[in-house]
Short mmCIF file of all heavy atoms in Angstrom, two decimals:
data_model
loop_
_atom_site.label_atom_id
_atom_site.label_comp_id
_atom_site.label_asym_id
_atom_site.label_seq_id
_atom_site.Cartn_x
_atom_site.Cartn_y
_atom_site.Cartn_z
N MET X 1 6.52 -19.29 6.46
CA MET X 1 5.12 -19.52 6.41
C MET X 1 4.43 -18.23 5.98
O MET X 1 4.58 -17.17 6.59
CB MET X 1 4.54 -20.01 7.75
CG MET X 1 3.13 -20.47 7.68
SD MET X 1 2.42 -21.04 9.24
CE MET X 1 2.20 -19.45 10.13
N GLU X 2 3.64 -18.29 4.87
CA GLU X 2 3.06 -17.19 4.49
C GLU X 2 1.47 -17.21 4.61
O GLU X 2 0.82 -18.21 4.19
CB GLU X 2 3.27 -16.94 2.95
CG GLU X 2 3.03 -15.53 2.42
CD GLU X 2 3.39 -15.31 1.00
OE1 GLU X 2 4.42 -15.80 0.51
OE2 GLU X 2 2.60 -14.70 0.23
N LYS X 3 1.03 -16.24 5.30
CA LYS X 3 -0.49 -16.20 5.55
C LYS X 3 -1.10 -15.29 4.53
O LYS X 3 -0.73 -14.13 4.38
CB LYS X 3 -0.71 -15.67 6.89
CG LYS X 3 -2.00 -16.33 7.49
CD LYS X 3 -2.08 -16.02 8.97
CE LYS X 3 -2.70 -14.64 9.25
NZ LYS X 3 -2.80 -14.30 10.69
N LYS X 4 -2.04 -15.85 3.74
CA LYS X 4 -2.69 -15.11 2.75
C LYS X 4 -3.90 -14.31 3.43
O LYS X 4 -4.75 -14.83 4.01
CB LYS X 4 -3.25 -16.01 1.63
CG LYS X 4 -3.85 -15.29 0.51
CD LYS X 4 -2.82 -15.28 -0.76
CE LYS X 4 -3.58 -14.62 -1.93
NZ LYS X 4 -3.13 -13.44 -2.33
N GLN X 5 -3.79 -13.08 3.24
CA GLN X 5 -4.73 -12.14 3.89
C GLN X 5 -5.83 -11.67 2.94
O GLN X 5 -5.50 -11.22 1.87
CB GLN X 5 -3.95 -10.96 4.46
CG GLN X 5 -4.73 -10.16 5.46
CD GLN X 5 -3.93 -8.88 5.87
OE1 GLN X 5 -2.98 -8.48 5.23
NE2 GLN X 5 -4.46 -8.22 6.80
N LYS X 6 -7.00 -11.94 3.29
CA LYS X 6 -8.13 -11.49 2.48
C LYS X 6 -8.66 -10.26 3.03
O LYS X 6 -8.98 -10.11 4.21
CB LYS X 6 -9.10 -12.59 2.35
CG LYS X 6 -8.84 -13.57 1.27
CD LYS X 6 -10.10 -14.39 1.03
CE LYS X 6 -9.77 -15.48 0.01
NZ LYS X 6 -10.94 -16.41 -0.22
N LEU X 7 -8.90 -9.28 2.14
CA LEU X 7 -9.42 -8.10 2.57
C LEU X 7 -10.73 -7.83 1.74
O LEU X 7 -10.81 -8.05 0.54
CB LEU X 7 -8.51 -6.95 2.28
CG LEU X 7 -7.31 -6.71 3.39
CD1 LEU X 7 -6.41 -5.72 2.83
CD2 LEU X 7 -7.90 -6.31 4.67
N ILE X 8 -11.71 -7.47 2.49
CA ILE X 8 -13.03 -7.17 1.89
C ILE X 8 -13.38 -5.66 1.92
O ILE X 8 -13.29 -5.08 2.99
CB ILE X 8 -14.15 -8.00 2.54
CG1 ILE X 8 -13.84 -9.50 2.66
CG2 ILE X 8 -15.48 -7.82 1.88
CD1 ILE X 8 -13.72 -10.23 1.35
N CYS X 9 -13.72 -5.14 0.90
CA CYS X 9 -14.10 -3.77 0.79
C CYS X 9 -15.34 -3.54 1.55
O CYS X 9 -16.37 -4.26 1.43
CB CYS X 9 -14.35 -3.32 -0.64
SG CYS X 9 -14.86 -1.52 -0.73
N ASP X 10 -15.37 -2.61 2.54
CA ASP X 10 -16.53 -2.28 3.31
C ASP X 10 -17.78 -1.82 2.52
O ASP X 10 -18.83 -2.16 2.87
CB ASP X 10 -16.16 -1.18 4.39
CG ASP X 10 -15.30 -1.68 5.49
OD1 ASP X 10 -15.25 -2.87 5.72
OD2 ASP X 10 -14.68 -0.79 6.19
N ARG X 11 -17.44 -1.11 1.52
CA ARG X 11 -18.51 -0.51 0.71
C ARG X 11 -19.17 -1.53 -0.22
O ARG X 11 -20.41 -1.62 -0.29
CB ARG X 11 -17.96 0.67 -0.11
CG ARG X 11 -18.55 2.02 0.31
CD ARG X 11 -18.06 3.11 -0.51
NE ARG X 11 -16.63 3.36 -0.24
CZ ARG X 11 -15.84 4.27 -0.86
NH1 ARG X 11 -16.42 4.98 -1.92
NH2 ARG X 11 -14.67 4.49 -0.57
N CYS X 12 -18.36 -2.25 -0.91
CA CYS X 12 -18.78 -3.13 -1.98
C CYS X 12 -18.96 -4.62 -1.58
O CYS X 12 -19.60 -5.39 -2.33
CB CYS X 12 -17.92 -3.00 -3.17
SG CYS X 12 -17.49 -1.31 -3.53
N LYS X 13 -18.35 -4.94 -0.43
CA LYS X 13 -18.44 -6.32 0.00
C LYS X 13 -17.76 -7.27 -1.03
O LYS X 13 -18.20 -8.49 -1.27
CB LYS X 13 -19.86 -6.84 0.37
CG LYS X 13 -20.56 -5.92 1.28
CD LYS X 13 -19.93 -5.95 2.66
CE LYS X 13 -20.67 -4.98 3.52
NZ LYS X 13 -19.92 -4.46 4.68
N VAL X 14 -16.78 -6.78 -1.71
CA VAL X 14 -15.99 -7.72 -2.65
C VAL X 14 -14.56 -7.80 -2.17
O VAL X 14 -14.12 -6.95 -1.45
CB VAL X 14 -16.04 -7.22 -4.08
CG1 VAL X 14 -17.47 -7.24 -4.71
CG2 VAL X 14 -15.46 -5.83 -4.24
N GLU X 15 -13.94 -8.85 -2.58
CA GLU X 15 -12.54 -9.10 -2.14
C GLU X 15 -11.60 -8.13 -2.82
O GLU X 15 -11.71 -7.90 -4.07
CB GLU X 15 -12.17 -10.53 -2.46
CG GLU X 15 -10.81 -10.94 -1.75
CD GLU X 15 -10.37 -12.28 -2.20
OE1 GLU X 15 -11.23 -13.14 -2.52
OE2 GLU X 15 -9.11 -12.54 -2.17
N MET X 16 -10.76 -7.53 -2.10
CA MET X 16 -9.73 -6.59 -2.74
C MET X 16 -8.65 -7.38 -3.30
O MET X 16 -8.22 -8.44 -2.88
CB MET X 16 -9.28 -5.61 -1.63
CG MET X 16 -10.31 -4.69 -1.04
SD MET X 16 -9.82 -3.71 0.36
CE MET X 16 -9.68 -2.15 -0.45
N VAL X 17 -8.07 -6.86 -4.43
CA VAL X 17 -7.08 -7.60 -5.18
C VAL X 17 -5.74 -6.77 -5.18
O VAL X 17 -5.68 -5.63 -4.99
CB VAL X 17 -7.49 -7.82 -6.60
CG1 VAL X 17 -8.71 -8.77 -6.69
CG2 VAL X 17 -7.87 -6.53 -7.33
N ASP X 18 -4.67 -7.57 -5.35
CA ASP X 18 -3.30 -6.92 -5.40
C ASP X 18 -3.15 -6.05 -6.64
O ASP X 18 -3.57 -6.46 -7.79
CB ASP X 18 -2.23 -8.05 -5.52
CG ASP X 18 -1.92 -8.66 -4.19
OD1 ASP X 18 -2.10 -7.93 -3.15
OD2 ASP X 18 -1.62 -9.83 -4.12
N LYS X 19 -2.65 -4.85 -6.36
CA LYS X 19 -2.44 -4.03 -7.55
C LYS X 19 -1.21 -3.11 -7.24
O LYS X 19 -1.11 -2.64 -6.17
CB LYS X 19 -3.79 -3.10 -7.70
CG LYS X 19 -3.48 -1.88 -8.60
CD LYS X 19 -4.18 -2.18 -9.87
CE LYS X 19 -4.01 -0.95 -10.78
NZ LYS X 19 -3.90 -1.30 -12.25
N GLU X 20 -0.35 -3.03 -8.23
CA GLU X 20 0.84 -2.24 -7.99
C GLU X 20 0.53 -0.82 -8.35
O GLU X 20 0.08 -0.58 -9.51
CB GLU X 20 2.00 -2.79 -8.85
CG GLU X 20 3.33 -2.15 -8.37
CD GLU X 20 4.60 -2.75 -9.09
OE1 GLU X 20 4.75 -2.45 -10.32
OE2 GLU X 20 5.32 -3.51 -8.42
N VAL X 21 0.76 0.04 -7.42
CA VAL X 21 0.40 1.48 -7.74
C VAL X 21 1.58 2.32 -7.43
O VAL X 21 2.47 1.93 -6.71
CB VAL X 21 -0.78 2.00 -6.93
CG1 VAL X 21 -2.00 1.28 -7.26
CG2 VAL X 21 -0.50 1.89 -5.47
N GLN X 22 1.66 3.45 -8.04
CA GLN X 22 2.74 4.42 -7.84
C GLN X 22 2.39 5.43 -6.69
O GLN X 22 1.26 6.06 -6.85
CB GLN X 22 3.06 5.12 -9.13
CG GLN X 22 4.27 5.96 -8.94
CD GLN X 22 5.17 6.02 -10.18
OE1 GLN X 22 4.97 5.32 -11.16
NE2 GLN X 22 6.11 6.94 -10.19
N PHE X 23 3.15 5.57 -5.82
CA PHE X 23 2.90 6.55 -4.65
C PHE X 23 3.87 7.68 -4.86
O PHE X 23 5.02 7.59 -5.30
CB PHE X 23 3.25 5.94 -3.39
CG PHE X 23 2.17 4.96 -2.97
CD1 PHE X 23 2.27 3.60 -3.25
CD2 PHE X 23 1.07 5.37 -2.21
CE1 PHE X 23 1.26 2.73 -2.77
CE2 PHE X 23 0.14 4.56 -1.74
CZ PHE X 23 0.21 3.16 -2.16
N SER X 24 3.47 8.80 -4.42
CA SER X 24 4.29 9.97 -4.27
C SER X 24 4.20 10.42 -2.89
O SER X 24 3.23 10.69 -2.31
CB SER X 24 3.81 11.04 -5.28
OG SER X 24 4.78 12.03 -5.35
N TYR X 25 5.39 10.47 -2.29
CA TYR X 25 5.42 10.86 -0.80
C TYR X 25 6.64 11.68 -0.62
O TYR X 25 7.80 11.30 -0.95
CB TYR X 25 5.48 9.55 0.01
CG TYR X 25 5.48 9.79 1.51
CD1 TYR X 25 4.34 10.38 2.06
CD2 TYR X 25 6.55 9.42 2.23
CE1 TYR X 25 4.37 10.62 3.52
CE2 TYR X 25 6.59 9.63 3.63
CZ TYR X 25 5.53 10.25 4.20
OH TYR X 25 5.46 10.39 5.54
N LEU X 26 6.50 12.81 0.01
CA LEU X 26 7.52 13.75 0.29
C LEU X 26 8.43 13.97 -0.97
O LEU X 26 9.67 14.12 -0.85
CB LEU X 26 8.39 13.18 1.48
CG LEU X 26 7.62 13.07 2.79
CD1 LEU X 26 8.60 12.48 3.84
CD2 LEU X 26 7.11 14.42 3.28
N GLY X 27 7.82 14.11 -2.11
CA GLY X 27 8.56 14.42 -3.29
C GLY X 27 9.20 13.20 -3.96
O GLY X 27 9.81 13.35 -5.00
N LYS X 28 9.14 12.05 -3.28
CA LYS X 28 9.74 10.90 -3.92
C LYS X 28 8.59 9.97 -4.38
O LYS X 28 7.59 9.92 -3.75
CB LYS X 28 10.55 10.10 -2.84
CG LYS X 28 11.60 10.89 -2.24
CD LYS X 28 12.90 10.87 -3.03
CE LYS X 28 13.98 11.71 -2.42
NZ LYS X 28 15.16 11.83 -3.25
N SER X 29 8.87 9.27 -5.47
CA SER X 29 7.83 8.35 -5.88
C SER X 29 8.44 6.91 -5.86
O SER X 29 9.52 6.73 -6.10
CB SER X 29 7.27 8.74 -7.28
OG SER X 29 8.26 8.63 -8.21
N PHE X 30 7.51 5.99 -5.58
CA PHE X 30 7.86 4.59 -5.52
C PHE X 30 6.69 3.81 -5.84
O PHE X 30 5.51 4.25 -5.75
CB PHE X 30 8.54 4.27 -4.17
CG PHE X 30 7.53 4.52 -3.01
CD1 PHE X 30 6.78 3.52 -2.52
CD2 PHE X 30 7.69 5.78 -2.36
CE1 PHE X 30 5.93 3.82 -1.44
CE2 PHE X 30 6.84 6.00 -1.34
CZ PHE X 30 5.97 5.18 -0.78
N ARG X 31 6.95 2.52 -6.26
CA ARG X 31 5.82 1.61 -6.58
C ARG X 31 5.71 0.63 -5.51
O ARG X 31 6.67 0.16 -4.90
CB ARG X 31 6.09 0.84 -7.87
CG ARG X 31 6.24 1.91 -9.07
CD ARG X 31 6.48 1.18 -10.36
NE ARG X 31 5.29 0.46 -10.79
CZ ARG X 31 4.24 1.01 -11.47
NH1 ARG X 31 4.28 2.25 -11.79
NH2 ARG X 31 3.31 0.29 -11.88
N HIS X 32 4.46 0.21 -5.17
CA HIS X 32 4.25 -0.73 -4.13
C HIS X 32 2.93 -1.44 -4.45
O HIS X 32 2.01 -0.82 -4.96
CB HIS X 32 4.13 0.02 -2.80
CG HIS X 32 4.35 -1.00 -1.67
ND1 HIS X 32 5.48 -1.31 -1.13
CD2 HIS X 32 3.41 -1.68 -0.99
CE1 HIS X 32 5.29 -2.14 -0.08
NE2 HIS X 32 4.00 -2.37 -0.10
N LYS X 33 2.92 -2.74 -4.00
CA LYS X 33 1.72 -3.53 -4.19
C LYS X 33 0.75 -3.22 -3.04
O LYS X 33 1.16 -3.38 -1.93
CB LYS X 33 2.01 -4.97 -4.28
CG LYS X 33 1.64 -5.63 -5.66
CD LYS X 33 1.89 -7.08 -5.57
CE LYS X 33 2.19 -7.53 -7.03
NZ LYS X 33 2.80 -8.90 -6.97
N VAL X 34 -0.43 -2.87 -3.32
CA VAL X 34 -1.45 -2.73 -2.41
C VAL X 34 -2.68 -3.47 -2.72
O VAL X 34 -2.82 -3.96 -3.85
CB VAL X 34 -1.84 -1.23 -2.24
CG1 VAL X 34 -0.66 -0.33 -1.68
CG2 VAL X 34 -2.34 -0.71 -3.57
N LYS X 35 -3.55 -3.60 -1.72
CA LYS X 35 -4.90 -4.23 -1.96
C LYS X 35 -5.78 -3.16 -2.45
O LYS X 35 -5.90 -2.06 -1.86
CB LYS X 35 -5.48 -4.84 -0.73
CG LYS X 35 -4.58 -5.94 -0.17
CD LYS X 35 -4.81 -7.17 -0.92
CE LYS X 35 -3.97 -8.40 -0.30
NZ LYS X 35 -4.11 -9.55 -1.17
N ARG X 36 -6.48 -3.46 -3.56
CA ARG X 36 -7.42 -2.45 -4.12
C ARG X 36 -8.74 -3.13 -4.50
O ARG X 36 -8.77 -4.23 -4.95
CB ARG X 36 -6.69 -1.97 -5.45
CG ARG X 36 -7.54 -0.86 -6.13
CD ARG X 36 -6.78 -0.42 -7.31
NE ARG X 36 -7.40 0.62 -8.07
CZ ARG X 36 -8.32 0.35 -9.05
NH1 ARG X 36 -8.62 -0.89 -9.36
NH2 ARG X 36 -8.94 1.24 -9.74
N CYS X 37 -9.70 -2.34 -4.22
CA CYS X 37 -11.12 -2.78 -4.49
C CYS X 37 -11.35 -2.68 -5.98
O CYS X 37 -11.24 -1.63 -6.59
CB CYS X 37 -12.16 -2.03 -3.75
SG CYS X 37 -13.84 -2.46 -4.22
N PRO X 38 -11.73 -3.79 -6.73
CA PRO X 38 -11.99 -3.70 -8.16
C PRO X 38 -13.30 -3.00 -8.49
O PRO X 38 -13.43 -2.54 -9.57
CB PRO X 38 -12.09 -5.11 -8.58
CG PRO X 38 -12.49 -5.88 -7.36
CD PRO X 38 -11.92 -5.16 -6.19
N GLU X 39 -14.13 -2.72 -7.48
CA GLU X 39 -15.38 -2.05 -7.78
C GLU X 39 -15.20 -0.54 -7.60
O GLU X 39 -15.47 0.23 -8.51
CB GLU X 39 -16.44 -2.52 -6.73
CG GLU X 39 -16.79 -4.07 -6.95
CD GLU X 39 -17.61 -4.30 -8.19
OE1 GLU X 39 -18.44 -3.42 -8.61
OE2 GLU X 39 -17.43 -5.32 -8.87
N CYS X 40 -14.80 -0.08 -6.46
CA CYS X 40 -14.81 1.36 -6.25
C CYS X 40 -13.34 2.01 -6.28
O CYS X 40 -13.24 3.18 -6.22
CB CYS X 40 -15.40 1.68 -4.82
SG CYS X 40 -14.49 1.11 -3.45
N GLY X 41 -12.40 1.21 -6.29
CA GLY X 41 -10.96 1.59 -6.53
C GLY X 41 -10.37 2.04 -5.15
O GLY X 41 -9.25 2.55 -5.14
N GLN X 42 -10.99 1.86 -4.08
CA GLN X 42 -10.45 2.10 -2.74
C GLN X 42 -9.22 1.26 -2.56
O GLN X 42 -9.24 0.08 -2.82
CB GLN X 42 -11.49 1.94 -1.68
CG GLN X 42 -11.01 2.11 -0.33
CD GLN X 42 -12.04 1.92 0.71
OE1 GLN X 42 -12.29 2.77 1.52
NE2 GLN X 42 -12.85 0.89 0.68
N VAL X 43 -8.11 1.92 -2.03
CA VAL X 43 -6.97 1.02 -1.72
C VAL X 43 -6.83 0.95 -0.25
O VAL X 43 -7.10 1.85 0.59
CB VAL X 43 -5.69 1.61 -2.33
CG1 VAL X 43 -5.71 1.57 -3.83
CG2 VAL X 43 -5.46 3.08 -1.91
N TYR X 44 -6.20 -0.13 0.10
CA TYR X 44 -5.88 -0.39 1.54
C TYR X 44 -4.37 -0.32 1.68
O TYR X 44 -3.57 -0.92 1.05
CB TYR X 44 -6.29 -1.85 1.90
CG TYR X 44 -5.85 -2.24 3.26
CD1 TYR X 44 -6.48 -1.82 4.41
CD2 TYR X 44 -4.78 -3.09 3.37
CE1 TYR X 44 -6.09 -2.17 5.64
CE2 TYR X 44 -4.26 -3.43 4.69
CZ TYR X 44 -4.93 -3.01 5.80
OH TYR X 44 -4.50 -3.37 7.05
N ILE X 45 -4.09 0.74 2.49
CA ILE X 45 -2.60 0.92 2.72
C ILE X 45 -2.23 0.21 3.98
O ILE X 45 -2.68 0.40 5.10
CB ILE X 45 -2.38 2.44 2.94
CG1 ILE X 45 -2.93 3.32 1.84
CG2 ILE X 45 -0.96 2.79 3.28
CD1 ILE X 45 -2.22 3.17 0.52
N SER X 46 -1.32 -0.81 3.80
CA SER X 46 -0.95 -1.61 4.92
C SER X 46 0.02 -0.94 5.79
O SER X 46 0.71 0.03 5.48
CB SER X 46 -0.39 -2.93 4.35
OG SER X 46 0.91 -2.67 3.77
N GLU X 47 0.10 -1.44 7.03
CA GLU X 47 0.99 -0.82 8.10
C GLU X 47 2.43 -1.07 7.51
O GLU X 47 3.34 -0.26 7.80
CB GLU X 47 0.71 -1.60 9.33
CG GLU X 47 0.94 -0.72 10.51
CD GLU X 47 0.48 -1.40 11.83
OE1 GLU X 47 -0.74 -1.68 11.95
OE2 GLU X 47 1.38 -1.70 12.62
N GLU X 48 2.64 -2.24 6.86
CA GLU X 48 3.92 -2.57 6.37
C GLU X 48 4.40 -1.47 5.41
O GLU X 48 5.57 -1.08 5.39
CB GLU X 48 3.84 -3.94 5.70
CG GLU X 48 5.13 -4.43 5.03
CD GLU X 48 4.96 -4.62 3.57
OE1 GLU X 48 3.79 -4.94 3.12
OE2 GLU X 48 5.94 -4.45 2.81
N LEU X 49 3.52 -0.99 4.59
CA LEU X 49 3.87 0.04 3.61
C LEU X 49 4.28 1.27 4.32
O LEU X 49 5.25 1.95 4.05
CB LEU X 49 2.73 0.29 2.63
CG LEU X 49 2.81 1.47 1.73
CD1 LEU X 49 4.03 1.31 0.76
CD2 LEU X 49 1.64 1.65 0.87
N VAL X 50 3.42 1.70 5.29
CA VAL X 50 3.69 2.91 5.96
C VAL X 50 5.02 2.88 6.73
O VAL X 50 5.83 3.81 6.72
CB VAL X 50 2.50 3.20 6.95
CG1 VAL X 50 2.79 4.52 7.75
CG2 VAL X 50 1.18 3.44 6.13
N LYS X 51 5.15 1.81 7.53
CA LYS X 51 6.31 1.69 8.28
C LYS X 51 7.62 1.36 7.51
O LYS X 51 8.70 1.54 7.91
CB LYS X 51 6.22 0.57 9.40
CG LYS X 51 5.15 1.07 10.45
CD LYS X 51 5.11 0.12 11.52
CE LYS X 51 4.22 0.63 12.73
NZ LYS X 51 3.77 -0.48 13.60
N GLY X 52 7.38 0.72 6.25
CA GLY X 52 8.50 0.27 5.51
C GLY X 52 8.91 1.35 4.52
O GLY X 52 9.87 2.11 4.82
N ARG X 53 8.20 1.43 3.46
CA ARG X 53 8.66 2.29 2.35
C ARG X 53 8.62 3.81 2.82
O ARG X 53 9.50 4.60 2.48
CB ARG X 53 7.70 2.16 1.18
CG ARG X 53 7.79 0.75 0.52
CD ARG X 53 9.19 0.21 0.28
NE ARG X 53 9.90 1.07 -0.73
CZ ARG X 53 9.77 0.88 -2.06
NH1 ARG X 53 9.07 -0.16 -2.54
NH2 ARG X 53 10.40 1.64 -2.94
N MET X 54 7.57 4.20 3.46
CA MET X 54 7.45 5.69 3.78
C MET X 54 8.56 6.08 4.80
O MET X 54 9.14 7.14 4.69
CB MET X 54 6.09 5.97 4.33
CG MET X 54 5.08 5.91 3.17
SD MET X 54 3.45 6.42 3.66
CE MET X 54 2.66 6.35 2.09
N SER X 55 8.93 5.25 5.73
CA SER X 55 10.01 5.62 6.59
C SER X 55 11.38 5.51 5.95
O SER X 55 12.29 6.27 6.25
CB SER X 55 9.98 4.73 7.91
OG SER X 55 10.24 3.42 7.61
N GLN X 56 11.42 4.76 4.93
CA GLN X 56 12.67 4.64 4.08
C GLN X 56 12.81 6.02 3.32
O GLN X 56 13.97 6.54 3.27
CB GLN X 56 12.63 3.62 3.05
CG GLN X 56 13.20 2.28 3.35
CD GLN X 56 12.97 1.22 2.22
OE1 GLN X 56 12.94 1.59 1.12
NE2 GLN X 56 12.89 -0.01 2.68
N VAL X 57 11.78 6.54 2.83
CA VAL X 57 11.81 7.81 2.18
C VAL X 57 12.17 8.94 3.15
O VAL X 57 13.05 9.73 2.80
CB VAL X 57 10.40 8.11 1.49
CG1 VAL X 57 10.39 9.51 0.91
CG2 VAL X 57 10.13 7.11 0.39
N GLU X 58 11.59 8.85 4.34
CA GLU X 58 11.96 9.85 5.31
C GLU X 58 13.41 9.81 5.68
O GLU X 58 14.05 10.79 5.87
CB GLU X 58 11.01 9.62 6.53
CG GLU X 58 9.61 10.15 6.34
CD GLU X 58 8.62 9.69 7.39
OE1 GLU X 58 9.02 9.08 8.39
OE2 GLU X 58 7.47 10.02 7.20
N LYS X 59 13.95 8.59 5.88
CA LYS X 59 15.32 8.40 6.17
C LYS X 59 16.22 9.01 5.06
O LYS X 59 17.16 9.67 5.31
CB LYS X 59 15.69 6.98 6.30
CG LYS X 59 15.66 6.46 7.72
CD LYS X 59 16.65 5.27 7.89
CE LYS X 59 16.99 5.10 9.36
NZ LYS X 59 15.87 4.47 10.02
N MET X 60 15.84 8.72 3.77
CA MET X 60 16.62 9.20 2.72
C MET X 60 16.67 10.73 2.67
O MET X 60 17.68 11.27 2.42
CB MET X 60 15.98 8.75 1.30
CG MET X 60 16.33 7.47 0.87
SD MET X 60 15.23 6.68 -0.40
CE MET X 60 15.06 8.09 -1.51
N LEU X 61 15.60 11.36 3.04
CA LEU X 61 15.55 12.80 3.11
C LEU X 61 16.39 13.38 4.31
O LEU X 61 17.10 14.38 4.18
CB LEU X 61 14.12 13.30 3.20
CG LEU X 61 13.26 12.96 2.01
CD1 LEU X 61 11.86 13.43 2.27
CD2 LEU X 61 13.74 13.67 0.72
N GLU X 62 16.33 12.69 5.39
CA GLU X 62 17.05 13.09 6.52
C GLU X 62 18.57 13.06 6.42
O GLU X 62 19.42 13.79 6.92
CB GLU X 62 16.75 12.26 7.81
CG GLU X 62 15.44 12.59 8.41
CD GLU X 62 14.90 11.61 9.42
OE1 GLU X 62 15.70 10.70 9.81
OE2 GLU X 62 13.74 11.68 9.79
N ASP X 63 19.00 12.09 5.58
CA ASP X 63 20.46 11.85 5.31
C ASP X 63 21.11 12.96 4.56
O ASP X 63 22.25 13.04 4.53
CB ASP X 63 20.65 10.46 4.61
CG ASP X 63 20.50 9.31 5.57
OD1 ASP X 63 20.41 9.52 6.83
OD2 ASP X 63 20.40 8.16 5.10
N LYS X 64 20.27 13.73 3.86
CA LYS X 64 20.85 14.77 3.05
C LYS X 64 21.58 15.81 3.80
O LYS X 64 21.02 16.20 4.87
CB LYS X 64 19.74 15.37 2.15
CG LYS X 64 19.57 14.64 0.83
CD LYS X 64 18.64 15.36 -0.07
CE LYS X 64 18.31 14.38 -1.30
NZ LYS X 64 17.16 14.87 -2.00
ZN1 ZN T 101 -15.21 -1.09 -2.98
#
């Protein structure tokens, strides 16, 4: 079951849209879909991204 989450930008009061962006974190870069406001460009970083991809990157670095 997939719940579609709607996010509204606080500033512009418009719905944020999915956008794939490139992140650079601890010297590694990866692409991830985030919610982004089409008006002001503010992105919403989900907890899933922080706990998922970013901890993966940290693990990769620790393994060295
Ligand atoms: Zn906005």
Side-chain angles (χ1 to χ4, degrees):
M1 189 179 77
E2 198 177 319
K3 211 169 79 180
K4 186 103 172 110
Q5 194 184 13
K6 272 194 183 175
L7 282 170
I8 307 295
C9 178
D10 284 341
R11 244 181 289 178
C12 317
K13 308 295 179 203
V14 295
E15 193 184 332
M16 295 173 105
V17 294
D18 279 329
K19 166 105 181 147
E20 195 175 70
V21 295
Q22 184 146 351
F23 284 93
S24 191
Y25 181 65
L26 298 176
K28 303 274 177 190
S29 59
F30 56 91
R31 299 178 73 80
H32 196 90
K33 241 186 211 164
V34 294
K35 295 283 182 187
R36 181 178 178 274
C37 173
E39 296 289 322
C40 67
Q42 177 179 229
V43 294
Y44 172 78
I45 306 294
S46 67
E47 216 172 292
E48 177 239 331
L49 170 62
V50 175
K51 288 186 177 164
R53 299 306 298 271
M54 288 186 176
S55 64
Q56 267 178 30
V57 171
E58 283 167 5
K59 264 210 162 71
M60 272 162 51
L61 294 175
E62 280 166 13
D63 286 346
K64 271 188 190 165

